[in-house]
Structure formats: C-alpha cells, structure tokens
Amino acid sequence: YQFRCQITGEKIGDVYNTTVVEAHHIEYFTKSLNNDSSNIIIVNPNFHRIVHKLNPVFDRENLSFVFNNGIKEKVKLNLHL
C-alpha cells in the first residue's frame, strides 16, 4: 500500500520525511490465531488506536468498520481483502 492507510488513503509522516503505518488484525490475533493476510489491514496509528479502543465490527461484505455510534469507515484501498 506504499505506506498508505487502507481506510483513509493517507500517507502519514511525509511532512517529516518518514512514513508510519501499522498492521491491524481484523479478528484479534490473540483470539483467532489467524495471521493470514486476509485478516490484516494496514492503517495509520491513530485509526489503529481508535479501533482497539472502540472495537468496531468489521463488515466483510461491505469492507468497512462499523462503530457503535453508527459511523461506517469503508476501506478505500484494497488489494488483498
């Protein structure tokens, strides 16, 4: 994804001449033991923290995170899910 968040499409850190992205297990690895690429999404650090704090449901049919407050964050960049 060339250091871009799959949700926002942003390339974080460019202004500092660096890049920062993180890999998130859609189904938490500690519960699923699933390390397959279909269970991993590349996200920016802020979105990663939000996902871990709020535990939204990942809707595979629509490729989106659905939060309890009704917000849906759809995957913008997808080459593997």
Side-chain angles (χ1 to χ4, degrees):
Y1 293 96
Q2 300 177 339
F3 298 99
R4 294 192 182 280
C5 174
Q6 285 185 253
I7 298 295
T8 66
E10 294 176 291
K11 194 172 187 182
I12 303 297
D14 266 354
V15 296
Y16 303 104
N17 199 30
T18 191
T19 49
V20 181
V21 291
E22 298 178 358
H24 171 70
H25 287 87
I26 296 167
E27 295 176 34
Y28 292 163
F29 182 75
T30 54
K31 294 179 183 175
S32 69
L33 300 180
N34 181 356
N35 209 26
D36 187 73
S37 64
S38 66
N39 189 41
I40 295 174
I41 188 166
I42 304 303
V43 293
N44 70 61
N46 288 344
F47 189 78
H48 198 188
R49 295 305 318 143
I50 289 168
V51 167
H52 275 278
K53 185 168 185 164
L54 299 177
N55 292 307
V57 173
F58 188 72
D59 178 351
R60 285 199 179 268
E61 186 175 320
N62 295 305
L63 293 179
S64 60
F65 284 97
V66 180
F67 291 84
N68 285 338
N69 65 359
I71 291 177
K72 295 178 184 175
E73 293 288 355
K74 191 164 177 61
V75 171
K76 289 183 180 175
L77 304 174
N78 181 33
L79 301 174
H80 76 283
L81 293 175

